[in-house]
Amino acid sequence: MGPDKHTVRAGGRGILTTAVTVVCAVTVLAAPGPAFAAPAPTPSPTASASADVSAALPPDKDLEAVREKLDALYHDAAVATDAYNAAEEAARKQSAEIVGLAKKIAKGQQKLDELKERAGRAAAAQYRTGGLPDTAQLVLSDNPTEFLDGAGRVLQGERATKALIRELTQTQQDLTQYAADAADQWNRLEAGRKAKAAAKKKITQRIAAAEKLQSTLEKKQKERLAELEREAAYKAQTAWLDTGVLDEIHSKASAAGRKAVAFATRQLGKPYVWGAEGPDSYDCSGLTSQAWASAGKPIPRTSEEQWKQLKHVDVQDMRPGDLIIYFDDASHVAMYIGDGAIIQAPRPGRTVSIGGAGSMPILGVVRPDA
């Protein structure tokens, strides 16, 4: 069957950036893609074959319940993956901060030792003068003029000593603060380690539950379940396109956006792995963050932080390279590539692929190079 008007609509308006290869445009965008195209018709089975199939398959409503359960499990895994990635990113920053504080402590201790040595020399010099008051030294001096010249130097020495004491005190205070900051970072690092471990446990539990649920299905049930998934995505994409949203989208990609799309395009076919940032596998935000890093625009690691920190733009104003954030909890992100299409790392068991921008509930759009 030829391309439906509700598919990606590639080639009709030519919004796709030149970074999307001709091969991708012809083989994926121009044909109804599995993520958002209309389901292809199947030959009419014979009466006996139809009876055999219907006997093997549970009602669609039961498989639909399975599909919804799988979606919920993978969504929970995505939320936990975002929490894991956030903890990992925080751990990197905290470790770097601890290293920086350790260097400051070592440098401060060296300075403190030097100041103490100077203070010791100053104390020894004062001891040699006998610690007599200036007036007494003036009376006992054989050469008052020489004494007065020396008294001026003594005054300068006293001022230097006071400055030394102030510097010594400040250095000690700095060392105390560095130590407190380091202890605080260690505590945060430990809390982050526990949070990361909890997130990892939740991820593995949800994925294992999803895989176990799918393993209970027969081959024909799995095939029908895949059809239901495609139908659901197609229905959502169609509803999104029927709003006329593409009629309002005319923006072209920026230079950095073209680079980001080109990077994402080169990752097509690579597997989804939670927590992965490439080069052989990615999770959803790992793909988008690395794509924009390759374009010279570092962005936050997680989809939640991408939503929080990057500039928001209206859907009708989005352009290739912008990121579409999905679900109310910002648990998924994909890169818009034009003509109603996205590149995404979908979920465990899937690969980086092209899909319909409206096939999932859109929370909003962000622009890394605003």
Side-chain angles (χ1 to χ4, degrees):
M1 151 176 135
D4 188 276
K5 69 176 181 178
H6 295 308
T7 60
V8 173
R9 300 185 181 179
R13 293 174 53 237
I15 297 178
L16 280 181
T17 175
T18 55
V20 180
T21 63
V22 173
V23 173
C24 289
V26 172
T27 61
V28 184
L29 292 180
F36 46 90
T42 55
S44 300
T46 62
S48 59
S50 177
D52 291 341
V53 170
S54 61
L57 290 176
D60 273 1
K61 65 178 182 179
D62 293 338
L63 282 176
E64 181 64 22
V66 171
R67 186 188 71 80
E68 291 176 357
K69 179 63 175 177
L70 287 172
D71 283 348
L73 288 170
Y74 282 124
H75 178 265
D76 285 352
V79 173
T81 297
D82 223 33
Y84 178 92
N85 291 336
E88 179 73 12
E89 186 72 6
R92 291 176 189 171
K93 293 179 180 178
Q94 286 154 3
S95 296
E97 183 68 20
I98 289 169
V99 170
L101 287 167
K103 291 179 179 179
K104 287 182 177 181
I105 289 172
K107 187 176 180 180
Q109 188 61 56
Q110 181 181 0
K111 182 179 179 181
L112 185 63
D113 292 342
E114 292 172 355
L115 291 171
K116 286 182 177 179
E117 184 179 350
R118 285 168 54 191
R121 290 198 300 268
Q126 185 178 12
Y127 175 78
R128 286 194 296 272
T129 66
L132 292 174
D134 290 347
T135 52
Q137 292 188 45
L138 176 59
V139 171
L140 297 174
S141 176
D142 294 331
N143 189 337
T145 302
E146 182 180 341
F147 169 77
L148 291 174
D149 290 341
R153 289 192 296 272
V154 170
L155 181 60
Q156 292 176 351
E158 289 177 348
R159 291 173 179 169
T161 300
K162 290 179 180 178
L164 176 62
I165 293 173
R166 285 196 300 270
E167 190 174 6
L168 188 64
T169 302
Q170 183 62 54
T171 301
Q172 289 175 324
Q173 291 175 347
D174 288 344
L175 281 171
T176 300
Q177 186 61 52
Y178 294 155
D181 290 345
D184 181 57
Q185 290 296 342
W186 274 113
N187 290 335
R188 292 186 183 185
L189 192 63
E190 178 62 14
R193 185 193 66 77
K194 292 179 180 179
K196 192 167 81 167
K200 180 178 180 179
K201 182 178 180 180
K202 184 174 181 180
I203 294 166
T204 54
Q205 286 177 340
R206 296 302 188 273
I207 292 176
E211 290 174 346
K212 182 178 180 180
L213 178 57
Q214 291 176 93
S215 70
T216 64
L217 301 176
E218 300 293 337
K219 180 180 178 181
K220 291 185 181 298
Q221 293 174 328
K222 292 179 180 178
E223 291 172 350
R224 180 55 185 153
L225 180 63
E227 288 180 11
L228 291 175
E229 291 175 352
R230 289 193 292 270
E231 289 171 5
Y234 173 76
K235 182 178 179 181
Q237 175 75 355
T238 298
W240 184 68
L241 294 176
D242 281 345
T243 64
V245 64
L246 288 191
D247 297 334
E248 302 294 330
I249 301 174
H250 303 289
S251 299
K252 294 182 179 180
S254 64
R258 287 193 295 272
K259 292 179 182 179
V261 171
F263 178 94
T265 302
R266 290 195 296 271
Q267 314 315 310
L268 287 169
K270 294 184 178 180
Y272 176 104
V273 174
W274 62 267
E277 300 177 80
D280 300 321
S281 57
Y282 296 89
D283 62 20
C284 67
S285 58
L287 176 64
T288 55
S289 60
Q290 289 302 306
W292 273 100
S294 75
K297 298 284 184 179
I299 63 174
R301 169 65 176 89
T302 67
S303 57
E304 184 178 354
E305 289 304 311
Q306 288 171 8
W307 174 244
K308 287 180 180 178
Q309 297 185 34
L310 301 180
K311 179 178 175 59
H312 292 200
V313 296
D314 292 335
V315 172
Q316 61 266 28
D317 294 328
M318 69 180 173
R319 64 193 187 195
D322 286 347
L323 306 181
I324 304 180
I325 310 296
Y326 293 96
F327 305 107
D328 290 343
D329 52 11
S331 58
H332 187 65
V333 60
M335 178 176 291
Y336 184 65
I337 58 174
D339 286 339
I342 55 172
I343 288 180
Q344 62 171 332
R347 73 183 195 192
R350 304 287 173 83
T351 61
V352 176
S353 56
I354 294 176
S359 58
M360 297 169 284
I362 295 176
L363 177 61
V365 179
V366 295
R367 178 163 297 161
D369 62 337

